[in-house]
């Protein structure tokens, strides 16, 4: 269990940022992940009074506030329609509705967990994060950055031509994924994202346009993913199993995007 | 720190530790239907409604609920008893330990979906674990309850 000595419901991001510069202070998103740890927190920084719990649809993007819950993201009709169900698919297997009403987008993305379904999924779409100090940066860049004391303000899901399909494999329903996969198609290039390896999701670009070449190409690209991505063992699955399943998921995703199948929904 | 919560319709003001969870807070206020069944945010037994949405009270800080509206089974007894009868009819309760959290989530399901499909029901209730009865009885109870609510068969 974690402990908290003082609680600050901040009234501005500046106040939150200043508090967050002290090592003993910690931002609380939904608090679900923090609760599992043993951290002794001096001041818990609560962002829930800043109106960051909204998802706003603008002409060219969805602005997803850091304090929006996973359930809000899952059930947003605009995002569901725009992403062809991919975002919903990445969320609906996580624990249960009550849990997803508590866990936040900010905590999930800031945490940069290797197993994260939403992080993997959003890497397959055109996303940026907005940090209080560092400003806007591409999500793929943020995912690789070391954790610092900045604040994640919102995730920006841009409306582009990109189409993505999300798939994951779990040992049992509602458990953590043992491998997750996005296949993503767009004018700026096609690629796959493989997560829960079990480390951070990685992107494999399809530089040879294999995915555009029908079933043979899909198989070749799946093989490329299996060869290039590092998979490792943990208590849930072996690296060899993950590698095998990742290949299957890539092929299914490709079939859904280029072959008109919808077996991943 | 001081918090004020509308708990089952009544304004409650209390002094709490910053790391007290909502579960322990509502129990300290006499809402003993809310129980803790795990340490990993997985079982759903601690389910209550915050601003009308089902949440895990074990995983939310009482401080976060400051200024919000909380409903536990103590605050919706009639509705809970009505559905509870269907559970009992199907033998879907053995020890009954999981029932309060399960019932709170079933009632939340019907607030969100007027006429949920089998898949929607299963997905909505996937976070409520039951160790003894199995889930088929629970699903039968839900179907019977839905039929009754639609004015079809009586129970
Ligand atoms: C039992 C359990 C099972 C889970 N299963 C899955 C699963 O199958 N798939 C999956 O993808 N995820 C899973 N998760 C993870 C979950 O979905 C969330 O990603 C996780 O709980 C973090 O979200 P949170 O809101 O609880 O963050 P918190 O625990 O509050 O915070 C996490 C970290 O982020 C920091 N932080 C939070 N918000 C901000 C911000 N705005 N700016 C800067 N830093 C911030 C915190 O200080 C902390 O370091 C699971 C979690 C639990 C507890
Ligand atoms: S007590 Fe198990 S989920 Fe809250
Ligand atoms: S009836 Fe015993 S846990 Fe469900």
């Amino acid at each position: 269990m974690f402990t908290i000595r003082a609680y600050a419901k901040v009234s501005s991001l500046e106040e939150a940022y200043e508090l967050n510069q002290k090592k003993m202070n910690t931002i609380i998103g939904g608090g679900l992940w923090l609760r599992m740890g043993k951290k002794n927190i001096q001041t818990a920084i609560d962002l829930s009074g800043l109106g960051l719990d909204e998802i706003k649809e603008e002409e060219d993007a969805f602005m997803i506030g850091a304090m929006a819950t996973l359930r809000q993201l899952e059930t947003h009709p605009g995002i569901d329609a725009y992403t062809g169900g991919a975002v919903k698919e990445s969320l609906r297997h996580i624990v249960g509705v009550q849990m997803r009403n508590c866990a936040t987008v900010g905590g999930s993305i800031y945490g940069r967990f290797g197993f994260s379904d939403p992080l993997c999924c959003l890497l397959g779409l055109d996303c940026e994060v907005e940090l209080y100090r560092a400003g806007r940066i591409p999500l793929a860049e943020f995912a690789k950055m070391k954790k610092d004391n900045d604040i994640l303000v919102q995730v920006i899901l841009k409306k582009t031509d990109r189409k993505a399909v999300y798939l994951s494999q779990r040992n049992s329903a509602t458990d953590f994924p043992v491998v997750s996969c996005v296949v993503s198609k767009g004018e700026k290039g096609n690629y796959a994202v493989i997560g829960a390896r079990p480390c951070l999701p990685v992107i494999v670009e399809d530089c040879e346009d294999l995915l555009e070449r029908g079933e043979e190409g899909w198989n070749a690209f799946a093989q490329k993913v299996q060869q290039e991505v590092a998979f490792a063992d943990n208590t849930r699955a072996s690296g060899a199993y993950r590698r095998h399943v990742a290949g299957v998921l890539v092929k299914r995703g490709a079939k859904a995007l280029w072959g008109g199948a919808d077996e991943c929904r | 720190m001081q918090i004020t919560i509308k708990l089952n319709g009544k304004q409650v003001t209390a002094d709490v530790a910053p790391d007290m969870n909502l579960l322990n807070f509502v129990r300290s206020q006499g809402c003993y239907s809310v129980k803790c069944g795990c340490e990993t945010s997985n079982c759903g037994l601690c389910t209550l409604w915050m601003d009308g949405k089902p949440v895990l009270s074990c995983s939310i800080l009482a401080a976060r609920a400051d200024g919000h509206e909380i409903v536990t089974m103590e605050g919706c007894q009639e509705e809970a008893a009505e559905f509870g009868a269907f559970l009992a009819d199907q033998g879907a309760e053995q020890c009954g330990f999981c029932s309060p959290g399960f019932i709170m989530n079933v009632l939340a399901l019907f607030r969100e979906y007027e006429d949920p499909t089998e898949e929607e029901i299963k997905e909505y209730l996937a976070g409520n674990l039951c160790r003894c009865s199995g889930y088929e009885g629970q699903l039968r109870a839900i179907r019977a309850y839905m039929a009754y609510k639609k004015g079809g068969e009586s129970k």
Side-chain angles (χ1 to χ4, degrees), chain B residues 9-71:
Chain B
K10 266 191 274 172
Q11 293 288 344
V12 179
T13 299
D15 228 0
V16 300
D19 50 11
M20 182 188 222
N21 62 14
L22 185 56
L23 176 122
N24 286 327
F25 174 75
V26 297
R27 285 181 64 86
S28 76
Q29 297 296 320
C31 300
Y32 296 120
S33 72
V34 187
K35 297 189 204 71
C36 179
C38 75
E39 290 176 343
T40 53
S41 304
N42 260 308
C43 73
L45 180 53
C46 61
T47 302
L48 48 67
W49 304 335
M50 179 154 133
D51 301 329
K53 291 194 183 123
V55 295
L56 301 175
S57 62
C58 68
S59 305
I60 289 192
L61 294 170
R64 181 53 71 68
D66 185 22
H68 294 267
E69 193 174 340
I70 303 294
V71 176

Side-chain angles (χ1 to χ4, degrees), chain A residues 129-140:
Chain A
V129 294
E130 184 186 323
L131 301 168
Y132 178 65
R133 263 302 135 89
R136 278 198 189 194
I137 47 176
L139 177 63

